[in-house]
Amino acid sequence: MKIYLVGGAVRDELLGLVVKERDWVVVGATPEEMLALGYKPVGKDFPVFLHPETHEEYALARTERKVGKGYKGFQFYADPSVSLEEDLKRRDLTVNAIAKTPAGELIDPLHGRRDLKRRVLRHVSDAFAEDPVRILRLARFASRFGKFKVHPKTMALMKKMTRTGEVDALVVERVWQELERSLEQPYCYRFFMILKECGALKKLFPEIAKHYRPTLLALKRAIKGSAKTEVRFAALLSPLSDTEIKALCKRNKVPRNYQELALIVAQNKDIFKQGHCADPECLLTVIEKLDAFRRATRFCDYLEACSLIMPRGADKKWQRLLKAYKLAKNVAIEGILQQGLSGRKIKSELHKLRVLTIAREL
């Protein structure tokens, strides 16, 4: 039995990045031997085990064969006879197909280190075309490693996958997973650029493809000021109509908090664009309309998204609205309750007191 560190951990180590997760491949072992050593089995499709102490994943070396559509259409073969080189050859990109021995020796039969130095994302083999998820993964890698270019032959292969309908077999849960993970990255707009270049954007996100330039411009502005994926997603969809946002979110099973923020940003991003709504009554009306007192986090995310996607100078107006919100929120209701009021009268008096407070302080 031989054990090697593989994949992203080796890649990131060579790039001088912090390694967050480590994956291992085990050559020359059987499931029974792994169990005897105390490893815990996980997964049903192929033999993967958790280390009894570190809980890191250890997978038996395997090969795979395409037997159907989509990323689930594979038949795996794990056996002690499968070599490390055979296991590496089934991987997606050369930069992810480097292994490392416990002694620190690198095993790189597919020249992944060369591609790391050249900043190139290149497919290992034509088997790349058998799994449409690899298009999404490559696009996500591009959003993380901003200076990496896609090899021309790899892009040609991705275009062919789109034309032949392999992309159509993607399940929506995986599409959203890769999109959300890409939004965490420093160059997340490249995720959509890669998808557009290979033709997959129009199939997966037709609403974004329709408004391609303004959506990417809004996203580029947003990533300079916020690391929150919800804010970046709302900025991305801000040029879309309500109908388009709802359609995209429904089709991709987007979480409710993402959809809600995207909708209120798209609907209300232009409140101060023309310079109106500056008086206290109007400020409080906007705050109430956005349900800010009950949904404080969403309201602050809305302000942040709008301040980032609006033209230069608009940030002062959003800061004014935020200050008005804080003033109104801190208005005490105890004095009103002591007057013996109830129901709508309490709400009306509280509104008046908040307007007066905003007027006095601003």
Side-chain angles (χ1 to χ4, degrees), residues 3-7 9-10 13 22-25 98-101:
I3 299 176
Y4 304 89
L5 183 66
V6 293
V10 181
E13 205 173 79
R22 296 179 185 274
D23 293 315
W24 307 81
V25 66
I98 309 170
K100 184 180 178 182
T101 69

Side-chain angles (χ1 to χ4, degrees), residues 176 180 229-231 233-234 237 245-246 248-265 267 291 294-295 297-298 301:
W176 168 250
E180 185 179 31
T229 55
E230 294 94 332
V231 171
F233 183 72
L237 300 194
I245 292 173
K246 290 177 181 178
L248 184 150
C249 291
K250 181 179 180 181
R251 187 176 63 253
N252 293 286
K253 297 184 179 180
V254 175
R256 183 175 178 179
N257 59 311
Y258 280 86
Q259 177 175 316
E260 287 183 347
L261 182 61
L263 282 170
I264 70 163
V265 169
Q267 293 166 354
D291 200 15
R294 293 196 309 141
R295 306 290 299 276
T297 300
R298 190 185 70 174
D301 287 344

Side-chain angles (χ1 to χ4, degrees), residues 15 140 152 154 262 355 360:
L15 289 172
R140 175 164 56 83
T154 303
V355 171
R360 182 176 64 249

Side-chain angles (χ1 to χ4, degrees), residues 30-71:
T30 65
E32 292 74 21
E33 289 174 310
M34 298 296 286
L35 293 173
L37 291 171
Y39 287 82
K40 306 298 181 182
V42 294
K44 297 179 181 180
D45 296 330
F46 47 84
V48 177
F49 301 84
L50 297 181
H51 191 280
E53 295 179 3
T54 66
H55 303 295
E56 293 176 333
E57 288 193 358
Y58 286 67
L60 297 186
R62 66 185 189 270
T63 58
E64 57 190 32
R65 183 170 62 90
K66 183 75 169 177
V67 294
K69 278 278 188 180
Y71 79 100

Side-chain angles (χ1 to χ4, degrees), residues 105-139:
E105 178 188 356
L106 293 175
I107 301 173
D108 182 24
L110 301 162
H111 310 294
R113 282 180 294 176
R114 179 190 63 189
D115 286 341
L116 280 177
K117 291 180 181 179
R118 295 177 179 178
R119 299 295 191 262
V120 172
L121 298 174
R122 179 168 60 91
H123 63 288
V124 168
S125 70
D126 287 346
F128 180 97
E130 296 176 350
D131 186 356
V133 170
R134 288 175 170 176
I135 290 180
L136 297 174
R137 279 171 51 83
L138 185 146

Side-chain angles (χ1 to χ4, degrees), residues 103 139 151 177 180 187 193 227 251 258 274 292 304 306 317 334 344:
H151 193 281
Q177 181 186 43
E180 185 179 31
Y187 306 94
M193 293 174 66
R251 187 176 63 253
Y258 280 86
Q274 304 302 326
E304 183 179 15
C306 290
K317 299 169 184 177
E334 286 76 14
R344 293 183 179 179

Side-chain angles (χ1 to χ4, degrees), residues 73-347:
F74 288 90
Q75 189 174 75
F76 297 97
Y77 176 71
D79 186 85
S81 64
V82 177
S83 67
L84 174 65
E85 288 73 17
E86 287 176 313
D87 184 271
L88 293 176
K89 286 179 181 178
R90 68 169 180 79
R91 297 174 183 270
D92 53 0
L93 303 172
T94 58
V95 296
N96 295 329
I98 309 170
K100 184 180 178 182
T101 69
E105 178 188 356
L106 293 175
I107 301 173
D108 182 24
L110 301 162
H111 310 294
R113 282 180 294 176
R114 179 190 63 189
D115 286 341
L116 280 177
K117 291 180 181 179
R118 295 177 179 178
R119 299 295 191 262
V120 172
L121 298 174
R122 179 168 60 91
H123 63 288
V124 168
S125 70
D126 287 346
F128 180 97
E130 296 176 350
D131 186 356
V133 170
R134 288 175 170 176
I135 290 180
L136 297 174
R137 279 171 51 83
L138 185 146
R140 175 164 56 83
F141 288 140
S143 71
R144 182 185 179 194
F145 307 115
K147 295 182 180 180
F148 277 65
K149 305 296 182 183
V150 181
H151 193 281
K153 290 184 177 179
T154 303
M155 180 55 69
L157 193 59
M158 291 164 64
K159 289 179 178 179
K160 183 179 178 181
M161 293 169 68
T162 304
R163 288 196 307 269
T164 57
E166 190 67 33
V167 170
D168 301 332
L170 284 166
V171 296
V172 294
E173 290 85 358
R174 190 58 189 270
V175 173
W176 168 250
Q177 181 186 43
E178 294 297 334
L179 169 57
E180 185 179 31
R181 293 177 70 183
S182 76
L183 289 172
E184 300 172 355
Q185 306 306 327
Y187 306 94
C188 52
Y189 57 87
R190 293 199 69 209
F191 179 82
F192 303 97
M193 293 174 66
I194 298 298
L195 294 184
K196 183 177 187 298
E197 187 175 353
C198 73
L201 185 64
K202 190 177 292 186
K203 288 194 172 189
L204 298 175
F205 307 107
E207 299 84 3
I208 295 176
K210 181 181 177 181
H211 304 275
Y212 180 69
R213 289 190 177 183
T215 54
L216 254 66
L217 178 60
L219 182 58
K220 286 180 179 180
R221 286 177 176 173
I223 61 177
K224 293 179 181 179
S226 179
K228 290 192 70 172
T229 55
E230 294 94 332
V231 171
R232 291 181 174 189
F233 183 72
L236 173 72
L237 300 194
S238 60
L240 276 57
S241 68
D242 287 6
T243 302
E244 291 169 329
I245 292 173
K246 290 177 181 178
L248 184 150
C249 291
K250 181 179 180 181
R251 187 176 63 253
N252 293 286
K253 297 184 179 180
V254 175
R256 183 175 178 179
N257 59 311
Y258 280 86
Q259 177 175 316
E260 287 183 347
L261 182 61
L263 282 170
I264 70 163
V265 169
Q267 293 166 354
N268 300 282
K269 65 180 183 292
D270 295 335
I271 287 176
F272 287 138
K273 195 171 184 179
Q274 304 302 326
H276 62 287
C277 275
D279 65 276
E281 178 70 43
C282 187
L283 285 169
L284 185 56
T285 300
V286 170
I287 292 168
E288 291 173 339
K289 175 187 175 184
L290 297 174
D291 200 15
F293 300 119
R294 293 196 309 141
R295 306 290 299 276
T297 300
R298 190 185 70 174
F299 177 69
C300 292
D301 287 344
Y302 153 77
L303 287 178
E304 183 179 15
C306 290
S307 68
L308 293 169
I309 64 178
M310 291 298 291
R312 189 175 298 173
D315 56 328
K316 293 181 180 179
K317 299 169 184 177
W318 300 115
Q319 287 296 328
R320 181 177 173 83
L321 182 60
L322 179 59
K323 187 174 181 180
Y325 159 72
K326 290 179 178 179
L327 290 168
K329 184 181 180 182
N330 290 329
V331 170
I333 196 175
E334 286 76 14
I336 298 174
L337 295 176
Q338 290 174 3
Q339 298 177 29
L341 301 176
S342 61
R344 293 183 179 179
K345 289 184 178 180
I346 294 178
K347 184 177 180 180

